[in-house]
Amino acid sequence: MLEKYQPADIELAAQQRWQKTAAARAVEDTSCPKYYCLSMFPYPSGKLHMGHVRNYTIGDVLARFHTLQGYNVLQPMGWDAFGMPAENAAIQNKVPPAQWTYANIEYMKGQLQRLGFAIDWEREVATCKPDYYRWEQWLFTRLFEKGLIYKKLGTVNWDPIDQTVLANEQVIDGRGWRSGALIEKREIPMYYMKITAYADELLAALDDLPGWPEQVRLMQKNWIGKSTGVRFAFPYELDGKADQLWVFTTRADTIMGVTFVAVAAEHPLATYAAAKNPEIAAFVEECKKGGVAEADIATMEKKGVPTGIFVTHPLTGEQVEVWVGNYVLMGYGDGAVMAVPAHDERDFAFAKKYRLAIKPVVAVAGHEFSTDAWQEWYADKANGVCVNSGKYDGLDYAAAVYAIAADLAAKELGEKKVQFRLRDWGISRQRYWGCPIPIIHCDCCGDVPVPDAQLPVVLPENVVVDGAGSPLARMPEFYETTCPKCGKPAKRETDTMDTFVESSWYFLRYCCADNDQAMVDERVAYWCQGGIDQYIGGIEHAILHLLYSRFWTKLMRDVGLFDNFPAGARLDEPFANLLTQGMVVAPTYYRDEADGKKLWLNPADVDLECDARGRPVAATLRADGQPVVIGGIEKMSKSKNNGVDPQALIDQYGADTARLFIMFASPPDQSLEWSDAGVDGAFRFLKRLWKIVYDHSSVGSVAAYVPGQDGELSPALKAFRRQLHLAIGKIADDYGRRKQFNTAIAAVMELLNAYGKLADSEPLARAVRQEALEAVAVLLWPIVPHIGEELYATLKPGCAISDAGWPKVDEAALKQDEIELMLQVNGKLRGSLRVPASADRAAIEAQALASEAVQKHLAGQAPKKLIVVPGRLVNIVV
RNA sequence: GCCGAGAUGGCGGAAUCGGUAGACGCAGCGGAUUCAAAAUCCGCCGUAGAAAUACGUGAGGGUUCGAGUCCCUCUCUCGGCACCA
């Protein structure tokens, strides 16, 4: 052992050793419990950022901790390799997306290896490789045949200048990010997966996921949005033809207060009205402007036009006018809603704006209705009763809904219905860099799935992308084919799949990445039995990725892929335990360019000017000294160029410091604003630890203290051993149950602070020191494995830390003779009290009352009440 | 707009089940060591106050012997909103 801590040397040596001994290789082994530790795989964007370091360090700490606990641990890694950034890079740098992607994978893999993660690289998958996506295509054909994938029209962002479909992210303030053109909505045919058929199961199963954070289950529950209500119709006659306008409502009790009906711009009634009236046509056109993102639509000013078409109220027979509203979504329910301005806040605002009737039909005792302003109670369904509602007057919410639904049903104009907010998953993308959809379009046979023998449909990799439409659609050598059914010339589908599809099952493929005969095999049963033991990833994936993964697992189950697994290993849910890490956020900086686009600048290239309180007031680009605009503080991302590359940190301090620092900075589930203040402290701590072990071991070797054998300890050593064994227990709890690593590190720091204050150096003290240092090396090993192994090798030559196992807590060392209780008078801290650990309540009360601090604050008053919290405090109330 | 989360010293954070607010670390200040510096070590470090003490966990209210923690109202920040991944 060298006197000086030199991280670069010991880290590279350790990494070479791990590679040579295949230390992280995971092999199925039924003789011990398995632990499948999964981190969300990265998109290969170029370089790692601190969010990745945080995510994968958490995973590595848990993996190594469970190795110490005797589990057979699997920690795999791969690449979410399809996606838009590769196409953007291709346009910018004129490099094929495949080439860019593979280069990024190579670089980022090197960074992950340099960080010392115990990853089994033999299981690596990259989703852009045919041996991966062929199975996705294979399952697609099965689902298509089962009717779980179908085709319908979907609305997309259309850039009329670039003649291309844009992602929501590429629409900025209603304009295309490259062309600057005003974006329009356009309907195109797309393939959809019937996730709504699984809505009930996806919802109900949330209750069986106790290992998931409550907030994630709640978000998914709200996303699925199961609501019970009534679907009913307004009959009408148009050009002599009778028809019905269907709507859904959860507030059927307010049906007598309907004063108009609103339909989406794409609704047939809107189309009909637009054909006759240029003003309505103009409004429908206006509704087509702008993108499809719900956040934009929901924050838009609510507008509408009357159509002049009237429908009949199904219960009152009154005529109700149909409006076209820009806030009604065609893809949601029936594309039409009933409007009850008196009891729906949005309808109220709309009615006030267009001076439509507001008819209150629910009253709440003690409240007076007024059309002047909206009041919270107008929408209260718990305390209301029907009024102005004829035969329904006096009924409460449940009774009114029941009676009204029954009356509608009797007229065959409605029924009770369960509706979900969840919509089917549109998976078609008009993009090149994705998994080809395995469908062949034949004029005679229709949409024909590609037969197994012709899979995979390989995506050509040497393709130039120019941003104007999908290059596949311009490649006859790709799309020209023959129909598998009739043999006539046919056209291959040129859309690719949503990249969420690849990330919905990669975690199963890790188990059997080398199987070229089947999508999954019995190794999946071994590793995934009871669910993946731990999944770690960003909270931003709380809904979409995690919901799609749950859905795909159920699809694979229902296609029969788990049928051959042992009973009990057939998966319903993929992830038993979920840890959602908070975002690592960083400031964004940009410049507005001449063509209206934003140029995002990396924080590392920006100099800041701060006010007296340290808040940034101005920023300049280091390269040219000119000002840049300070944007918001957002999650690190490629698109905003605010990712902080850990490389400089690793180069300067080493991987252990980087890992220790990011784990110490905050608990994993909290979002973390990036700052490197404190890195020095993490490095200093490792240097100090190194020096302590060096100083201790350079005197000569000594065996760790064995209680009951090595003799009685001084009070100081006894207290220190108590702290050591408390720390061992606390840190196991922090790693295992709480998954909070900053407090575990703090406990080791406190232990070393106490170690530094130990004065003794006689053999017994050295034995206790040895015991403590051996333990510390193991306790910290999950976080800082390189230095951990080095220190352990010095302390116990010839012994491997990975065989050491987690240190055992010596319960006897935890015992205390005396404890300290806090003394309060009227809840205010007035002193403390030392009592024997065995003291009973009466003795504690007596001693508390007798104490000087209490007597002083009682000032002669008689205590009214005495509260004793065992082991904590005494509160005296006067 | 809707859904979810968060706010504690100059800064990151601790307080795990309603019971010592500020552990641990950063920054800062003082000292030791050094020709000097770096590194290292020791001490101080919420605000006001000489002290006793009072105040103090985003703001306002409430429950309780006792509230950072529970309840109500509000503000701001972050994540998601179905084509960023």
Side-chain angles (χ1 to χ4, degrees), chain A residues 721-727 809-816:
Chain A
R721 260 197 103 234
R722 176 165 188 272
Q723 190 180 345
L724 167 65
H725 285 272
L726 279 175
V809 176
D810 178 5
E811 296 292 338
L814 304 181
K815 293 233 168 65
Q816 282 187 110

Side-chain angles (χ1 to χ4, degrees), chain A residues 526-550:
Chain A
Y526 172 82
W527 289 111
C528 300
Q529 175 146 27
I532 289 165
D533 301 274
Q534 186 66 58
Y535 195 26
I536 305 131
I539 183 65
E540 81 250 49
H541 295 294
I543 296 173
L544 293 180
H545 162 61
L546 288 167
L547 190 66
Y548 292 148
S549 298
R550 296 179 58 216

Side-chain angles (χ1 to χ4, degrees), chain A residues 316-371:
Chain A
T316 64
E318 279 171 28
Q319 292 296 290
V320 179
E321 186 164 24
V322 176
W323 283 61
V324 182
N326 66 350
Y327 61 93
V328 186
L329 300 175
M330 194 59 212
Y332 193 13
D334 294 283
V337 291
M338 72 173 196
V340 183
H343 304 290
D344 179 278
E345 190 169 2
R346 194 176 55 184
D347 295 344
F348 184 88
F350 195 86
K352 293 278 279 187
K353 182 171 177 178
Y354 293 106
R355 303 194 177 168
L356 298 167
I358 298 172
K359 181 188 171 195
V361 290
V362 173
V364 171
H367 291 286
E368 190 82 20
F369 192 92
S370 157
T371 55

Side-chain angles (χ1 to χ4, degrees), chain A residues 783-850:
Chain A
I783 296 172
V784 287
H786 312 87
I787 190 175
E789 282 196 15
E790 193 70 21
L791 297 179
Y792 197 78
T794 300
L795 292 161
K796 286 188 89 173
C799 295
I801 200 165
S802 49
D803 300 333
W806 192 256
K808 238 177 104 100
V809 176
D810 178 5
E811 296 292 338
L814 304 181
K815 293 233 168 65
Q816 282 187 110
D817 303 330
E818 237 186 8
I819 55 171
E820 190 177 27
L821 297 180
M822 291 304 119
L823 278 179
Q824 293 185 344
V825 178
N826 286 338
K828 294 204 162 150
L829 187 68
R830 296 302 181 194
S832 69
L833 198 65
R834 291 204 71 87
V835 298
S838 58
D840 63 6
R841 193 187 159 104
I844 291 170
E845 283 181 10
Q847 206 177 326
L849 284 172

Side-chain angles (χ1 to χ4, degrees), chain A residues 11-12 14-16 18-19 24 38-61 64 75-80 101 103-126 506 510 536 581 644-647 650-651 654-656 658-659 662 782-783 785-786:
Chain A
E11 289 180 3
L12 291 176
Q15 284 157 17
Q16 278 167 15
W18 295 337
Q19 199 159 18
L38 175 72
S39 289
M40 288 183 186
F41 65 167
Y43 178 81
S45 55
K47 299 166 180 175
L48 295 184
H49 57 63
M50 291 314 299
H52 294 121
V53 176
R54 194 184 194 195
N55 194 152
Y56 303 140
T57 303
I58 294 166
D60 203 46
V61 172
R64 289 178 185 271
Q75 187 177 216
M77 187 54 72
W79 309 95
D80 191 10
T101 302
N104 288 348
I105 287 176
E106 201 186 331
Y107 182 79
M108 290 169 76
K109 184 174 176 179
Q111 288 191 302
L112 291 175
Q113 288 170 327
R114 182 61 190 86
L115 280 160
F117 299 132
I119 290 163
D120 182 358
W121 284 106
E122 301 218 0
R123 296 168 180 272
E124 179 179 5
V125 299
Y506 73 102
Y510 281 142
I536 305 131
Q581 83 162 328
V644 175
D645 183 0
Q647 200 55 49
I650 298 170
D651 292 343
D656 280 337
R659 295 167 58 121
I662 196 78
I783 296 172
H786 312 87

